[in-house]
Each structure stands twice: as structure tokens, then as C-alpha cells.
């Protein structure tokens, strides 16, 4: 893998440059459109990825969106003014071509969001080899491939890499072995990126959402809730969440954009939970907490 010639000596920009920066990547007083940061969002055809693309574009970034579903991706791109790239981020050649195309078309690459994901539930004894392999390839290998292709460009731009993980990678649950293992692995891989490329000016962090209202989560809720409405199913699934609701995709996107932006300039190798407080709950004390009642 190509690397810069030497590590950056200091990851802090001069005071004049810092004073011009704001929360969102892309918000700047520089007049030239070509100077606006370029953000690549993988897995952007719906849900959190689409919300990140929209928020990033609103903040002034030039956004490139990637997914396998061409039709849905085109709708997202048209809605926020992003550039669409149809690619499978589990395939090395397609990832290499994707990153090269983004840099060729936009001249730089300042941020990457690894958001491609899938879930194939099943207990350890029931999960097929194919489901295990597909889950790890989508949720973990894609992060590796994106990082390997993008890191030289991110180092040149002193950019940032954000992986969208899950609280499932932080807490164990029966029936989600492949998903949990892949998300845990993606988080650790992102921390390795932070350690290895921090000296080159790159930051890498993981956002771990809890239940978030997306197309994929809606499918799970339909199975979980049986005949319940989606609202009722989400309410039941989030009864132990202190905020008593699922997140909106935009709420997760705001955390991702913060980690990409200059106001998180000393945040590196971190895991940020966006879960309404779920992972702060002591499961062993729930039976004694009489304020947690069924709805």
C-alpha cells in the first residue's frame, strides 16, 4: 500500500486555519467550489448512509455516494446533489475503481464513511456458512477494502474515516452471531486504522447506533412484531432504552458528520454510541427497576 513519505509532525492546524472551521465538513469561507471537501459515503442508497449524504451536502461538502442498488442510489443522489457511483464494496477491484473515480472526478478525498451493512440472523448451530461469509464480507471486509484504497488519499488531505458499527458489536445477543462478530471486528479494525495512520494526519472513529428507523430495521420489526404496527414494534423493542424510542437516521448522521469535521480534531480511535442510553443500562438490574414498565 502506498503511504506518504513521512508522518506528519503535528496534527494541529495553525490558528488562522482553525478559526475558519465550523462543525460540518465542507462549511468554509473559501470561495472556490473545488476547495470544498469531498466525502465518500458507502452504503448510501437508504437509511443512515442516505442521511449522512444529505447532511454532508447541506454542510457544503461535495458528496459521492456508493451502493449496489442503482435506482435507489440515483434517487438519493438527485435529492441531495451528490454524485452516484454504483459499486459492490465487498469486491476489491470495484472498491479500487470507486476510490480512483471519486478522486479523478473531484480532485481529492477528505472523508470516507463505511456504512455498507447486512444482517442475517441465526443461532450458532443454525447459521449457514454462506450467511456467515456474506455478513462478514459486507460488514467487515468492506471496511478493510475501503480503508486500503482510501487511506493514501485521506493522508494527503489529513482527512477522516468513520465506520458505522452497531451496539450489537458491543453487547452480546443470542441469534446474531455473524452480525455481532462482524460489527465488533469493524470497530477494532477502525481503531487499528487510527493507531496506524494517526501519525499521517488521519483520524478514524466508529459510530455505534442502537435501534434506528431504517429500511433494514423496519424489516426486522415486521418479523419481530408479528401483527403489530411498525410504531408498536419499535416501542416494544426500545422499552429498555432510556429515551424510550428508536433514533432517526438523521440523528446518527449528525454524529458521523461531527466525527468527520474539524471540531472533533482530537477524537481518534473512539467508539461513539448513538443509542439513546441503551448501553448504559445494567441488564441485571432491570427486574428491580420498577420505573421500566411495559407500554
Amino acid at each position: 500500500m502506498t503511504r506518504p513519505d513521512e508522518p506528519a509532525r503535528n496534527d494541529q492546524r495553525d490558528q488562522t486555519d482553525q478559526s475558519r472551521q465550523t462543525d460540518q465538513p465542507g462549511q468554509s469561507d473559501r470561495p472556490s467550489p473545488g476547495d470544498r471537501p469531498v466525502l465518500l459515503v458507502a452504503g448510501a442508497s437508504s437509511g443512515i448512509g442516505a442521511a449522512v449524504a444529505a447532511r454532508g451536502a447541506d454542510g457544503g461538502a461535495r458528496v459521492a455516494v456508493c451502493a449496489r442498488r442503482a435506482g435507489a442510489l440515483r434517487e438519493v443522489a438527485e435529492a441531495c446533489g451528490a454524485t452516484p457511483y454504483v459499486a459492490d464494496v465487498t469486491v476489491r477491484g470495484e472498491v479500487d475503481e470507486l476510490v480512483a473515480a471519486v478522486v479523478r472526478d473531484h480532485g481529492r478525498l477528505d472523508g470516507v464513511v463505511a456504512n455498507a451493512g447486512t444482517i442475517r440472523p441465526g443461532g450458532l448451530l443454525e447459521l449457514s456458512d454462506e450467511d456467515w461469509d456474506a455478513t462478514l464480507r459486507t460488514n467487515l471486509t468492506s471496511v478493510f477494502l475501503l480503508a486500503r484504497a482510501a487511506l493514501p488519499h485521506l493522508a494527503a488531505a489529513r482527512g477522516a474515516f468513520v465506520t458505522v458499527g452497531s451496539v450489537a458489536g458491543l453487547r452480546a445477543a443470542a441469534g446474531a452471531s455473524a452480525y455481532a462478530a462482524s460489527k465488533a471486528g469493524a470497530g477494532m479494525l477502525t481503531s487499528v486504522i487510527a493507531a496506524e495512520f494517526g501519525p499521517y494526519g488521519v483520524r478514524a472513529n466508529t459510530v455505534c447506533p442502537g435501534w434506528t428507523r431504517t429500511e433494514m430495521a423496519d424489516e426486522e420489526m415486521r418479523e419481530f412484531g408479528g401483527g403489530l404496527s411498525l410504531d408498536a414494534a419499535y416501542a416494544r423493542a426500545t422499552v429498555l432504552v432510556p429515551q424510550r424510542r428508536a433514533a432517526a437516521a438523521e440523528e446518527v448522521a449528525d454524529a458521523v458528520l461531527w466525527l468527520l469535521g474539524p471540531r472533533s480534531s482530537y477524537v481518534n480511535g473512539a467508539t461513539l454510541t448513538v443509542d439513546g442510553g441503551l448501553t448504559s443500562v445494567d441488564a441485571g438490574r432491570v427486574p428491580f427497576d420498577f420505573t421500566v414498565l411495559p407500554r
Side-chain angles (χ1 to χ4, degrees), residues 165-173 179-180 183-184 207-211 271-279:
S166 170
V167 295
L170 306 175
R171 300 289 186 271
Y179 186 73
K183 289 297 186 179
V207 170
C208 287
W211 281 116
T271 299
L272 175 60
T273 56
V274 185
D275 64 353
L278 176 62
T279 51

Side-chain angles (χ1 to χ4, degrees), residues 138-279:
T138 301
N139 297 351
L140 177 55
T141 302
S142 67
V143 179
F144 167 67
L145 295 176
L146 279 166
R148 184 166 60 181
L151 278 166
H153 304 288
L154 293 178
R158 302 176 69 79
F161 189 99
V162 175
T163 297
V164 178
S166 170
V167 295
L170 306 175
R171 300 289 186 271
S177 55
Y179 186 73
S182 65
K183 289 297 186 179
M188 179 51 69
L189 176 59
T190 306
S191 295
V192 171
I193 295 168
E196 189 170 344
F197 278 83
Y200 296 90
V202 177
R203 294 182 302 108
N205 296 286
T206 302
V207 170
C208 287
W211 281 116
T212 306
R213 297 197 71 149
T214 64
E215 288 182 2
M216 189 167 75
D218 285 353
E219 291 177 9
E220 292 183 76
M221 287 300 160
R222 290 187 182 96
E223 295 181 10
F224 164 72
L228 293 177
S229 68
L230 277 178
D231 285 345
Y234 275 108
R236 179 177 292 183
T238 58
V239 70
L240 297 183
V241 176
Q243 287 189 245
R244 300 296 195 272
R245 65 175 177 85
E250 290 76 13
E251 292 176 297
V252 181
D254 286 340
V256 172
L257 268 296
W258 178 73
L259 286 172
L260 289 170
R263 292 202 175 175
S264 62
S265 59
Y266 202 59
V267 180
N268 193 28
T271 299
L272 175 60
T273 56
V274 185
D275 64 353
L278 176 62
T279 51

Side-chain angles (χ1 to χ4, degrees), residues 10-243:
N10 192 332
D11 194 41
Q12 191 174 20
R13 296 175 175 85
D14 63 60
Q15 189 65 35
T16 301
D17 191 35
Q18 285 183 345
S19 69
R20 295 206 305 254
Q21 295 171 348
T22 54
D23 273 328
Q24 301 282 351
Q27 285 185 336
S28 167
D29 61 2
R30 292 175 295 183
S32 172
D35 284 341
R36 290 187 292 130
V38 175
L39 171 62
L40 170 60
V41 185
S45 60
S46 65
I48 293 171
V52 171
R55 287 288 210 247
D58 285 345
R62 290 177 287 160
V63 180
V65 290
C66 164
R68 289 180 293 189
R69 296 187 297 161
L73 183 67
R74 190 179 305 110
E75 291 180 6
V76 170
E78 290 175 352
C80 67
T83 307
Y85 298 85
V86 178
D88 184 344
V89 292
T90 71
V91 178
R92 177 179 179 176
E94 294 195 29
V95 173
D96 290 346
E97 291 176 7
L98 165 68
V99 172
V102 171
V103 174
R104 181 190 67 235
D105 294 344
H106 298 281
R108 59 192 290 176
L109 182 59
D110 299 87
V112 173
V113 180
N115 178 64
T118 188
I119 183 167
R120 301 196 182 193
L124 285 169
L125 300 184
E126 294 80 34
L127 192 72
S128 69
D129 292 351
E130 292 76 16
D131 283 345
W132 172 268
D133 291 341
T135 302
L136 264 69
R137 189 146 195 91
T138 301
N139 297 351
L140 177 55
T141 302
S142 67
V143 179
F144 167 67
L145 295 176
L146 279 166
R148 184 166 60 181
L151 278 166
H153 304 288
L154 293 178
R158 302 176 69 79
F161 189 99
V162 175
T163 297
V164 178
S166 170
V167 295
L170 306 175
R171 300 289 186 271
S177 55
Y179 186 73
S182 65
K183 289 297 186 179
M188 179 51 69
L189 176 59
T190 306
S191 295
V192 171
I193 295 168
E196 189 170 344
F197 278 83
Y200 296 90
V202 177
R203 294 182 302 108
N205 296 286
T206 302
V207 170
C208 287
W211 281 116
T212 306
R213 297 197 71 149
T214 64
E215 288 182 2
M216 189 167 75
D218 285 353
E219 291 177 9
E220 292 183 76
M221 287 300 160
R222 290 187 182 96
E223 295 181 10
F224 164 72
L228 293 177
S229 68
L230 277 178
D231 285 345
Y234 275 108
R236 179 177 292 183
T238 58
V239 70
L240 297 183
V241 176
Q243 287 189 245

